[in-house]
Amino acid sequence: MQPKVSVVIPVYNAAEHLEQCLRSIIEQTLKEIEIICVDDGSTDSSYEILTEQAAVDKRFIVLQQKNRYAGAARNAGLDVARGGYVVFLDADDFFAPDFLEKMYERAVRDNADIVICGGQTYNSANGEYKKAGHYLNIPLIGNRRVFSRRNVRNDIMTVTNPAPWNKLFRRSFLLREKLRFQPLQNSNDVYMVLLALCAAERIGWVDEALVNYRICGGKSLQDRKSRAPLCFIQALEALYDELRRRNIWDEVKKSFVTFAISTTAYNLRTLPDGEEKHILFSELQKPHFTRMGILDYPNDYYVNRKDFNLVKGMQYAFAVHESCRQKRECVSEVRKAGSVGDPKVTVVIPVYNVERYIDECLDSIIGQTLKEIEIICVNDGSTDGSLEHLDRYADADGRITVLTQRNAGISAARNAGFRRAHGEFVYYMDSDDVLELEALESLYSKAKDQNLDILYFNLQAFADEGMDSRLLDKYNAYYQRTHEYNGTYTGTELMKQMKKNGEYLASPCAQFARKDFLQRKGIKFYEGIVQEDELYTFCITLAAQRAGYLDRALYLRRLREGSTMTAALSFKNVYGYFVSYIEMQKYCERKGMMEDENELVLSAMAQMLRAARDRYFQLSEAEQYAYWGLPVQTQRLFEKLMARPAPLLRSEKTKSLLKRGLQKILQKMPQRVLQKMRQKIPQKLLQKLRQWKES
């Protein structure tokens, strides 16, 4: 007699749970079934369990094949199936006793090509069951008794999960539509199940949890995903191509995009951190994935914006990962070597694609009234004519040395120049700016006379044609100090005074430093980040025993399109602040802080972390995922410090603890501090604080 339902079960090393699965099938209330078990090259006792069961139950058919994964095993079972309907189950799951009966009755009643049922997860670690609404998403079906792509076109692929084990298929429908599982290590069911949903004329459903899907089993097919992280992309591609071949793409396009975004986000979230995830970052940028266009629609097209932003954000994560993989060490080669006996000052100039500005910069240096200088120009992999300009100037002035290196950033270029410096003092110049002609003489004279480790001075901004004059005013207000800082300070004292007055600047172009001081303290620029000036200035200032200030604007800073100063905010800026914060911590641990430095240092570090967080949340939601491309340990630290918003204080217990804590603080707070608070804290908050204190 022909069976009503063929049950196909791929089996691979499932001995631990196989007997429970088989028992739940054997005891089904629908008896007219055949049970086709395909052993996929198991190395445990699975095959023995199957053959023993087949010996006592004639409904069993046991096939055996070399390990070719579940898709191939399911196809093998389908090839020998005789039932009017067929269901594909997993060997580590188990099923309600009336699962097959209810599914079959509904299929016959509704003349359905497919019948879907609900299900629940079973946690084998703690024995807990949990209903899974996405196995059968009834709100998307509405009050329809049967449905198809024609009446749920935007949701046909998300009305249920892409697994086959909660679906009963008409066998003739599968054969007519030539529906087969892909022979993939994982995601082998995506193509077949979703294409079947799109092709079916009539789909029925049973609103009951008839399937128990095991999680935390350790040997499920899903656990193999990390071994082949790209299978789901192959499945999506095959489905995309077949939908277009069948001329039903336009009908189900939105549903495909929703599913593709969802499954890509799921794979990104569930892959373990490490090389597999980074392989996936790379794959998502390649033409075979991008040709499907799932990220090309307007933002309001996407059902789940969080998933969309995660997937879109992987272009930023990939760029960060590639940047982190590149070696930061770069070999600087001497292209032209200048020669100066004992230079008083070494001027280091990093150069990158500034052929329009480099002549004016160099003219301002070679024309300095202080002549005993050496000029080290570091060509940082320029692709324009900058290097030709450097060579021409070096030919004309023997004080100029030209180094060249692959592009590694301004920090690497500055460090390369410093390693070759012979001057008593070192000065860092940007290649698109200008120095007043008497600047080096004035700086050298004061630093030498007062035996300074570091000397600070002012800048003045000027703008290229077309730049906003308001931006110029803003920078000049920032660059010009108005307070006096006479005498000699420790670096800490001077930083404290300047921060108090809001006049602390982090530009190395406004600093003039003694070379042997920098060498003794081992201070150099941190390579591979932007915002490197913040960290460098923090370290050099705290290290200085003798620091001074020259109240003159000797440096002319150009505001122009395309410069680092005017570039749009990106993750690079955020990461630069983040690294600076971490390196500040490390520097302070190495140096050891004096008691009078603690408040200043903690304030500076808090300001740096705040700057990083503020800028992080200014990024687009997609670019915020760029940190996923960082090395694992750095990624986790970044997420802890940066990516998690501060928790909302909502619970009554939390509010009570906060209230008691504030009461204690207010009771001990001196009146002079409270007076300052009154000047800065909003009146509503002050009233609340007074109420708490009085209560």
PDB file of all heavy atoms in Angstrom, residues 510-541:
ATOM      1  N   ALA A 510      52.205  73.920  16.827  1.00  0.00           N
ATOM      2  CA  ALA A 510      52.324  75.035  17.769  1.00  0.00           C
ATOM      3  C   ALA A 510      53.207  74.642  18.947  1.00  0.00           C
ATOM      4  O   ALA A 510      53.061  75.168  20.048  1.00  0.00           O
ATOM      5  CB  ALA A 510      50.947  75.467  18.248  1.00  0.00           C
ATOM      6  N   GLN A 511      54.141  73.685  18.723  1.00  0.00           N
ATOM      7  CA  GLN A 511      55.049  73.211  19.772  1.00  0.00           C
ATOM      8  C   GLN A 511      56.470  73.154  19.213  1.00  0.00           C
ATOM      9  O   GLN A 511      56.680  72.766  18.061  1.00  0.00           O
ATOM     10  CB  GLN A 511      54.638  71.806  20.248  1.00  0.00           C
ATOM     11  CG  GLN A 511      53.223  71.705  20.776  1.00  0.00           C
ATOM     12  CD  GLN A 511      52.736  70.275  20.855  1.00  0.00           C
ATOM     13  OE1 GLN A 511      53.543  69.346  20.878  1.00  0.00           O
ATOM     14  NE2 GLN A 511      51.427  70.099  20.897  1.00  0.00           N
ATOM     15  N   PHE A 512      57.407  73.486  20.037  1.00  0.00           N
ATOM     16  CA  PHE A 512      58.822  73.499  19.663  1.00  0.00           C
ATOM     17  C   PHE A 512      59.541  72.717  20.764  1.00  0.00           C
ATOM     18  O   PHE A 512      59.545  73.134  21.928  1.00  0.00           O
ATOM     19  CB  PHE A 512      59.306  74.954  19.600  1.00  0.00           C
ATOM     20  CG  PHE A 512      60.691  75.138  19.038  1.00  0.00           C
ATOM     21  CD1 PHE A 512      60.927  75.036  17.681  1.00  0.00           C
ATOM     22  CD2 PHE A 512      61.769  75.447  19.876  1.00  0.00           C
ATOM     23  CE1 PHE A 512      62.204  75.234  17.147  1.00  0.00           C
ATOM     24  CE2 PHE A 512      63.035  75.653  19.363  1.00  0.00           C
ATOM     25  CZ  PHE A 512      63.256  75.541  17.988  1.00  0.00           C
ATOM     26  N   ALA A 513      60.111  71.544  20.437  1.00  0.00           N
ATOM     27  CA  ALA A 513      60.575  70.619  21.475  1.00  0.00           C
ATOM     28  C   ALA A 513      62.062  70.301  21.343  1.00  0.00           C
ATOM     29  O   ALA A 513      62.604  70.228  20.229  1.00  0.00           O
ATOM     30  CB  ALA A 513      59.757  69.332  21.422  1.00  0.00           C
ATOM     31  N   ARG A 514      62.697  70.096  22.491  1.00  0.00           N
ATOM     32  CA  ARG A 514      64.098  69.679  22.531  1.00  0.00           C
ATOM     33  C   ARG A 514      64.187  68.204  22.131  1.00  0.00           C
ATOM     34  O   ARG A 514      63.460  67.363  22.663  1.00  0.00           O
ATOM     35  CB  ARG A 514      64.666  69.893  23.926  1.00  0.00           C
ATOM     36  CG  ARG A 514      66.166  69.684  24.043  1.00  0.00           C
ATOM     37  CD  ARG A 514      66.639  69.936  25.469  1.00  0.00           C
ATOM     38  NE  ARG A 514      66.462  71.334  25.846  1.00  0.00           N
ATOM     39  CZ  ARG A 514      67.365  72.287  25.615  1.00  0.00           C
ATOM     40  NH1 ARG A 514      68.505  71.981  24.991  1.00  0.00           N
ATOM     41  NH2 ARG A 514      67.135  73.524  25.990  1.00  0.00           N
ATOM     42  N   LYS A 515      65.090  67.871  21.212  1.00  0.00           N
ATOM     43  CA  LYS A 515      65.152  66.515  20.678  1.00  0.00           C
ATOM     44  C   LYS A 515      65.553  65.498  21.730  1.00  0.00           C
ATOM     45  O   LYS A 515      64.943  64.423  21.838  1.00  0.00           O
ATOM     46  CB  LYS A 515      66.120  66.436  19.496  1.00  0.00           C
ATOM     47  CG  LYS A 515      66.041  65.093  18.762  1.00  0.00           C
ATOM     48  CD  LYS A 515      67.085  64.943  17.681  1.00  0.00           C
ATOM     49  CE  LYS A 515      68.452  64.671  18.291  1.00  0.00           C
ATOM     50  NZ  LYS A 515      69.449  64.291  17.280  1.00  0.00           N
ATOM     51  N   ASP A 516      66.586  65.791  22.537  1.00  0.00           N
ATOM     52  CA  ASP A 516      67.023  64.774  23.497  1.00  0.00           C
ATOM     53  C   ASP A 516      65.975  64.534  24.584  1.00  0.00           C
ATOM     54  O   ASP A 516      65.904  63.454  25.161  1.00  0.00           O
ATOM     55  CB  ASP A 516      68.390  65.123  24.095  1.00  0.00           C
ATOM     56  CG  ASP A 516      68.369  66.356  24.979  1.00  0.00           C
ATOM     57  OD1 ASP A 516      67.336  67.053  25.012  1.00  0.00           O
ATOM     58  OD2 ASP A 516      69.403  66.620  25.637  1.00  0.00           O
ATOM     59  N   PHE A 517      65.131  65.527  24.858  1.00  0.00           N
ATOM     60  CA  PHE A 517      63.999  65.329  25.774  1.00  0.00           C
ATOM     61  C   PHE A 517      63.036  64.293  25.198  1.00  0.00           C
ATOM     62  O   PHE A 517      62.601  63.362  25.887  1.00  0.00           O
ATOM     63  CB  PHE A 517      63.301  66.670  26.020  1.00  0.00           C
ATOM     64  CG  PHE A 517      61.853  66.568  26.411  1.00  0.00           C
ATOM     65  CD1 PHE A 517      61.484  66.048  27.647  1.00  0.00           C
ATOM     66  CD2 PHE A 517      60.845  66.995  25.549  1.00  0.00           C
ATOM     67  CE1 PHE A 517      60.146  65.955  28.004  1.00  0.00           C
ATOM     68  CE2 PHE A 517      59.512  66.909  25.896  1.00  0.00           C
ATOM     69  CZ  PHE A 517      59.166  66.382  27.127  1.00  0.00           C
ATOM     70  N   LEU A 518      62.687  64.424  23.918  1.00  0.00           N
ATOM     71  CA  LEU A 518      61.784  63.466  23.272  1.00  0.00           C
ATOM     72  C   LEU A 518      62.395  62.074  23.240  1.00  0.00           C
ATOM     73  O   LEU A 518      61.702  61.060  23.446  1.00  0.00           O
ATOM     74  CB  LEU A 518      61.450  63.924  21.852  1.00  0.00           C
ATOM     75  CG  LEU A 518      60.698  65.251  21.719  1.00  0.00           C
ATOM     76  CD1 LEU A 518      60.544  65.622  20.249  1.00  0.00           C
ATOM     77  CD2 LEU A 518      59.335  65.172  22.388  1.00  0.00           C
ATOM     78  N   GLN A 519      63.706  62.000  22.997  1.00  0.00           N
ATOM     79  CA  GLN A 519      64.380  60.703  22.950  1.00  0.00           C
ATOM     80  C   GLN A 519      64.404  60.043  24.320  1.00  0.00           C
ATOM     81  O   GLN A 519      64.147  58.849  24.442  1.00  0.00           O
ATOM     82  CB  GLN A 519      65.799  60.869  22.401  1.00  0.00           C
ATOM     83  CG  GLN A 519      65.855  61.183  20.917  1.00  0.00           C
ATOM     84  CD  GLN A 519      67.254  61.448  20.421  1.00  0.00           C
ATOM     85  OE1 GLN A 519      68.078  62.047  21.130  1.00  0.00           O
ATOM     86  NE2 GLN A 519      67.545  61.030  19.194  1.00  0.00           N
ATOM     87  N   ARG A 520      64.724  60.820  25.356  1.00  0.00           N
ATOM     88  CA  ARG A 520      64.779  60.260  26.713  1.00  0.00           C
ATOM     89  C   ARG A 520      63.423  59.710  27.135  1.00  0.00           C
ATOM     90  O   ARG A 520      63.340  58.659  27.755  1.00  0.00           O
ATOM     91  CB  ARG A 520      65.217  61.334  27.718  1.00  0.00           C
ATOM     92  CG  ARG A 520      66.687  61.681  27.709  1.00  0.00           C
ATOM     93  CD  ARG A 520      67.090  62.429  28.989  1.00  0.00           C
ATOM     94  NE  ARG A 520      66.109  63.380  29.447  1.00  0.00           N
ATOM     95  CZ  ARG A 520      66.022  64.644  29.056  1.00  0.00           C
ATOM     96  NH1 ARG A 520      66.894  65.100  28.144  1.00  0.00           N
ATOM     97  NH2 ARG A 520      65.107  65.454  29.552  1.00  0.00           N
ATOM     98  N   LYS A 521      62.386  60.435  26.821  1.00  0.00           N
ATOM     99  CA  LYS A 521      61.040  60.047  27.252  1.00  0.00           C
ATOM    100  C   LYS A 521      60.403  59.029  26.307  1.00  0.00           C
ATOM    101  O   LYS A 521      59.352  58.461  26.626  1.00  0.00           O
ATOM    102  CB  LYS A 521      60.145  61.292  27.334  1.00  0.00           C
ATOM    103  CG  LYS A 521      60.630  62.325  28.355  1.00  0.00           C
ATOM    104  CD  LYS A 521      60.667  61.740  29.762  1.00  0.00           C
ATOM    105  CE  LYS A 521      61.106  62.773  30.786  1.00  0.00           C
ATOM    106  NZ  LYS A 521      61.138  62.215  32.160  1.00  0.00           N
ATOM    107  N   GLY A 522      61.042  58.781  25.172  1.00  0.00           N
ATOM    108  CA  GLY A 522      60.505  57.793  24.228  1.00  0.00           C
ATOM    109  C   GLY A 522      59.162  58.190  23.639  1.00  0.00           C
ATOM    110  O   GLY A 522      58.326  57.322  23.332  1.00  0.00           O
ATOM    111  N   ILE A 523      58.958  59.490  23.460  1.00  0.00           N
ATOM    112  CA  ILE A 523      57.663  59.969  22.962  1.00  0.00           C
ATOM    113  C   ILE A 523      57.713  60.097  21.442  1.00  0.00           C
ATOM    114  O   ILE A 523      58.587  60.753  20.885  1.00  0.00           O
ATOM    115  CB  ILE A 523      57.309  61.333  23.587  1.00  0.00           C
ATOM    116  CG1 ILE A 523      57.167  61.193  25.105  1.00  0.00           C
ATOM    117  CG2 ILE A 523      55.997  61.868  22.994  1.00  0.00           C
ATOM    118  CD1 ILE A 523      56.982  62.502  25.821  1.00  0.00           C
ATOM    119  N   LYS A 524      56.773  59.454  20.791  1.00  0.00           N
ATOM    120  CA  LYS A 524      56.634  59.571  19.344  1.00  0.00           C
ATOM    121  C   LYS A 524      55.153  59.545  19.000  1.00  0.00           C
ATOM    122  O   LYS A 524      54.296  59.352  19.871  1.00  0.00           O
ATOM    123  CB  LYS A 524      57.382  58.447  18.624  1.00  0.00           C
ATOM    124  CG  LYS A 524      56.922  57.045  18.985  1.00  0.00           C
ATOM    125  CD  LYS A 524      57.766  56.018  18.252  1.00  0.00           C
ATOM    126  CE  LYS A 524      57.295  54.600  18.600  1.00  0.00           C
ATOM    127  NZ  LYS A 524      58.085  53.574  17.876  1.00  0.00           N
ATOM    128  N   PHE A 525      54.852  59.725  17.741  1.00  0.00           N
ATOM    129  CA  PHE A 525      53.461  59.737  17.304  1.00  0.00           C
ATOM    130  C   PHE A 525      52.941  58.310  17.163  1.00  0.00           C
ATOM    131  O   PHE A 525      53.641  57.427  16.673  1.00  0.00           O
ATOM    132  CB  PHE A 525      53.321  60.480  15.972  1.00  0.00           C
ATOM    133  CG  PHE A 525      53.540  61.959  16.093  1.00  0.00           C
ATOM    134  CD1 PHE A 525      54.810  62.506  15.938  1.00  0.00           C
ATOM    135  CD2 PHE A 525      52.486  62.807  16.374  1.00  0.00           C
ATOM    136  CE1 PHE A 525      55.023  63.864  16.061  1.00  0.00           C
ATOM    137  CE2 PHE A 525      52.681  64.172  16.498  1.00  0.00           C
ATOM    138  CZ  PHE A 525      53.953  64.702  16.345  1.00  0.00           C
ATOM    139  N   TYR A 526      51.696  58.103  17.601  1.00  0.00           N
ATOM    140  CA  TYR A 526      51.049  56.795  17.466  1.00  0.00           C
ATOM    141  C   TYR A 526      50.616  56.632  16.021  1.00  0.00           C
ATOM    142  O   TYR A 526      49.861  57.449  15.490  1.00  0.00           O
ATOM    143  CB  TYR A 526      49.847  56.698  18.401  1.00  0.00           C
ATOM    144  CG  TYR A 526      49.278  55.302  18.509  1.00  0.00           C
ATOM    145  CD1 TYR A 526      49.629  54.474  19.564  1.00  0.00           C
ATOM    146  CD2 TYR A 526      48.384  54.817  17.551  1.00  0.00           C
ATOM    147  CE1 TYR A 526      49.108  53.191  19.678  1.00  0.00           C
ATOM    148  CE2 TYR A 526      47.865  53.542  17.647  1.00  0.00           C
ATOM    149  CZ  TYR A 526      48.231  52.732  18.706  1.00  0.00           C
ATOM    150  OH  TYR A 526      47.721  51.454  18.815  1.00  0.00           O
ATOM    151  N   GLU A 527      51.094  55.584  15.386  1.00  0.00           N
ATOM    152  CA  GLU A 527      50.852  55.409  13.952  1.00  0.00           C
ATOM    153  C   GLU A 527      49.549  54.672  13.666  1.00  0.00           C
ATOM    154  O   GLU A 527      49.115  53.825  14.440  1.00  0.00           O
ATOM    155  CB  GLU A 527      52.042  54.674  13.323  1.00  0.00           C
ATOM    156  CG  GLU A 527      53.345  55.449  13.469  1.00  0.00           C
ATOM    157  CD  GLU A 527      54.545  54.769  12.820  1.00  0.00           C
ATOM    158  OE1 GLU A 527      54.335  53.829  12.034  1.00  0.00           O
ATOM    159  OE2 GLU A 527      55.691  55.180  13.099  1.00  0.00           O
ATOM    160  N   GLY A 528      48.958  55.001  12.533  1.00  0.00           N
ATOM    161  CA  GLY A 528      47.771  54.284  12.062  1.00  0.00           C
ATOM    162  C   GLY A 528      46.453  54.894  12.483  1.00  0.00           C
ATOM    163  O   GLY A 528      45.398  54.298  12.250  1.00  0.00           O
ATOM    164  N   ILE A 529      46.467  56.068  13.136  1.00  0.00           N
ATOM    165  CA  ILE A 529      45.211  56.703  13.527  1.00  0.00           C
ATOM    166  C   ILE A 529      45.218  58.161  13.065  1.00  0.00           C
ATOM    167  O   ILE A 529      46.257  58.725  12.752  1.00  0.00           O
ATOM    168  CB  ILE A 529      44.984  56.653  15.053  1.00  0.00           C
ATOM    169  CG1 ILE A 529      46.099  57.429  15.788  1.00  0.00           C
ATOM    170  CG2 ILE A 529      44.891  55.223  15.548  1.00  0.00           C
ATOM    171  CD1 ILE A 529      45.827  57.633  17.263  1.00  0.00           C
ATOM    172  N   VAL A 530      44.016  58.752  13.027  1.00  0.00           N
ATOM    173  CA  VAL A 530      43.912  60.202  12.949  1.00  0.00           C
ATOM    174  C   VAL A 530      43.643  60.690  14.368  1.00  0.00           C
ATOM    175  O   VAL A 530      43.436  59.894  15.272  1.00  0.00           O
ATOM    176  CB  VAL A 530      42.793  60.648  11.982  1.00  0.00           C
ATOM    177  CG1 VAL A 530      43.121  60.217  10.565  1.00  0.00           C
ATOM    178  CG2 VAL A 530      41.446  60.051  12.396  1.00  0.00           C
ATOM    179  N   GLN A 531      43.639  61.977  14.594  1.00  0.00           N
ATOM    180  CA  GLN A 531      43.573  62.565  15.940  1.00  0.00           C
ATOM    181  C   GLN A 531      44.826  62.230  16.747  1.00  0.00           C
ATOM    182  O   GLN A 531      44.811  62.232  17.971  1.00  0.00           O
ATOM    183  CB  GLN A 531      42.327  62.098  16.712  1.00  0.00           C
ATOM    184  CG  GLN A 531      41.035  62.074  15.924  1.00  0.00           C
ATOM    185  CD  GLN A 531      40.641  63.410  15.324  1.00  0.00           C
ATOM    186  OE1 GLN A 531      40.033  63.464  14.277  1.00  0.00           O
ATOM    187  NE2 GLN A 531      41.005  64.479  15.985  1.00  0.00           N
ATOM    188  N   GLU A 532      45.930  61.916  16.038  1.00  0.00           N
ATOM    189  CA  GLU A 532      47.162  61.530  16.720  1.00  0.00           C
ATOM    190  C   GLU A 532      47.751  62.681  17.533  1.00  0.00           C
ATOM    191  O   GLU A 532      48.482  62.468  18.503  1.00  0.00           O
ATOM    192  CB  GLU A 532      48.196  61.032  15.700  1.00  0.00           C
ATOM    193  CG  GLU A 532      48.734  62.081  14.727  1.00  0.00           C
ATOM    194  CD  GLU A 532      47.755  62.492  13.646  1.00  0.00           C
ATOM    195  OE1 GLU A 532      46.936  61.648  13.238  1.00  0.00           O
ATOM    196  OE2 GLU A 532      47.804  63.664  13.227  1.00  0.00           O
ATOM    197  N   ASP A 533      47.417  63.922  17.164  1.00  0.00           N
ATOM    198  CA  ASP A 533      47.970  65.078  17.864  1.00  0.00           C
ATOM    199  C   ASP A 533      47.522  65.128  19.322  1.00  0.00           C
ATOM    200  O   ASP A 533      48.275  65.578  20.203  1.00  0.00           O
ATOM    201  CB  ASP A 533      47.548  66.370  17.163  1.00  0.00           C
ATOM    202  CG  ASP A 533      48.129  66.491  15.763  1.00  0.00           C
ATOM    203  OD1 ASP A 533      48.980  65.658  15.401  1.00  0.00           O
ATOM    204  OD2 ASP A 533      47.726  67.415  15.034  1.00  0.00           O
ATOM    205  N   GLU A 534      46.295  64.701  19.586  1.00  0.00           N
ATOM    206  CA  GLU A 534      45.768  64.747  20.950  1.00  0.00           C
ATOM    207  C   GLU A 534      46.617  63.899  21.893  1.00  0.00           C
ATOM    208  O   GLU A 534      46.988  64.342  22.988  1.00  0.00           O
ATOM    209  CB  GLU A 534      44.317  64.243  20.963  1.00  0.00           C
ATOM    210  CG  GLU A 534      43.374  64.966  20.031  1.00  0.00           C
ATOM    211  CD  GLU A 534      42.878  66.278  20.621  1.00  0.00           C
ATOM    212  OE1 GLU A 534      43.145  66.524  21.815  1.00  0.00           O
ATOM    213  OE2 GLU A 534      42.250  67.051  19.884  1.00  0.00           O
ATOM    214  N   LEU A 535      46.912  62.684  21.476  1.00  0.00           N
ATOM    215  CA  LEU A 535      47.699  61.777  22.313  1.00  0.00           C
ATOM    216  C   LEU A 535      49.133  62.273  22.467  1.00  0.00           C
ATOM    217  O   LEU A 535      49.690  62.280  23.569  1.00  0.00           O
ATOM    218  CB  LEU A 535      47.677  60.370  21.702  1.00  0.00           C
ATOM    219  CG  LEU A 535      48.545  59.318  22.372  1.00  0.00           C
ATOM    220  CD1 LEU A 535      48.140  59.114  23.823  1.00  0.00           C
ATOM    221  CD2 LEU A 535      48.458  58.000  21.603  1.00  0.00           C
ATOM    222  N   TYR A 536      49.733  62.685  21.367  1.00  0.00           N
ATOM    223  CA  TYR A 536      51.123  63.150  21.393  1.00  0.00           C
ATOM    224  C   TYR A 536      51.275  64.347  22.337  1.00  0.00           C
ATOM    225  O   TYR A 536      52.184  64.392  23.177  1.00  0.00           O
ATOM    226  CB  TYR A 536      51.559  63.533  19.978  1.00  0.00           C
ATOM    227  CG  TYR A 536      52.931  64.158  19.897  1.00  0.00           C
ATOM    228  CD1 TYR A 536      54.077  63.374  19.881  1.00  0.00           C
ATOM    229  CD2 TYR A 536      53.078  65.543  19.842  1.00  0.00           C
ATOM    230  CE1 TYR A 536      55.344  63.947  19.806  1.00  0.00           C
ATOM    231  CE2 TYR A 536      54.336  66.127  19.768  1.00  0.00           C
ATOM    232  CZ  TYR A 536      55.461  65.326  19.745  1.00  0.00           C
ATOM    233  OH  TYR A 536      56.709  65.891  19.687  1.00  0.00           O
ATOM    234  N   THR A 537      50.379  65.317  22.217  1.00  0.00           N
ATOM    235  CA  THR A 537      50.480  66.518  23.045  1.00  0.00           C
ATOM    236  C   THR A 537      50.251  66.196  24.514  1.00  0.00           C
ATOM    237  O   THR A 537      50.916  66.762  25.396  1.00  0.00           O
ATOM    238  CB  THR A 537      49.465  67.575  22.557  1.00  0.00           C
ATOM    239  OG1 THR A 537      49.738  67.876  21.185  1.00  0.00           O
ATOM    240  CG2 THR A 537      49.552  68.844  23.376  1.00  0.00           C
ATOM    241  N   PHE A 538      49.326  65.313  24.799  1.00  0.00           N
ATOM    242  CA  PHE A 538      49.076  64.885  26.182  1.00  0.00           C
ATOM    243  C   PHE A 538      50.355  64.312  26.801  1.00  0.00           C
ATOM    244  O   PHE A 538      50.758  64.692  27.900  1.00  0.00           O
ATOM    245  CB  PHE A 538      47.964  63.834  26.179  1.00  0.00           C
ATOM    246  CG  PHE A 538      47.683  63.196  27.511  1.00  0.00           C
ATOM    247  CD1 PHE A 538      46.840  63.810  28.423  1.00  0.00           C
ATOM    248  CD2 PHE A 538      48.247  61.970  27.843  1.00  0.00           C
ATOM    249  CE1 PHE A 538      46.562  63.212  29.651  1.00  0.00           C
ATOM    250  CE2 PHE A 538      47.982  61.374  29.059  1.00  0.00           C
ATOM    251  CZ  PHE A 538      47.144  61.988  29.965  1.00  0.00           C
ATOM    252  N   CYS A 539      51.011  63.408  26.070  1.00  0.00           N
ATOM    253  CA  CYS A 539      52.208  62.741  26.608  1.00  0.00           C
ATOM    254  C   CYS A 539      53.379  63.716  26.746  1.00  0.00           C
ATOM    255  O   CYS A 539      54.078  63.727  27.763  1.00  0.00           O
ATOM    256  CB  CYS A 539      52.600  61.568  25.707  1.00  0.00           C
ATOM    257  SG  CYS A 539      51.376  60.248  25.647  1.00  0.00           S
ATOM    258  N   ILE A 540      53.606  64.532  25.710  1.00  0.00           N
ATOM    259  CA  ILE A 540      54.762  65.418  25.726  1.00  0.00           C
ATOM    260  C   ILE A 540      54.619  66.487  26.813  1.00  0.00           C
ATOM    261  O   ILE A 540      55.595  66.878  27.467  1.00  0.00           O
ATOM    262  CB  ILE A 540      54.969  66.058  24.331  1.00  0.00           C
ATOM    263  CG1 ILE A 540      56.366  66.673  24.217  1.00  0.00           C
ATOM    264  CG2 ILE A 540      53.930  67.072  24.003  1.00  0.00           C
ATOM    265  CD1 ILE A 540      56.676  67.211  22.832  1.00  0.00           C
ATOM    266  N   THR A 541      53.386  66.919  27.046  1.00  0.00           N
ATOM    267  CA  THR A 541      53.165  67.959  28.047  1.00  0.00           C
ATOM    268  C   THR A 541      53.357  67.411  29.460  1.00  0.00           C
ATOM    269  O   THR A 541      54.006  68.048  30.300  1.00  0.00           O
ATOM    270  CB  THR A 541      51.764  68.565  27.891  1.00  0.00           C
ATOM    271  OG1 THR A 541      51.596  69.019  26.540  1.00  0.00           O
ATOM    272  CG2 THR A 541      51.562  69.737  28.826  1.00  0.00           C
TER     273      THR A 541
END
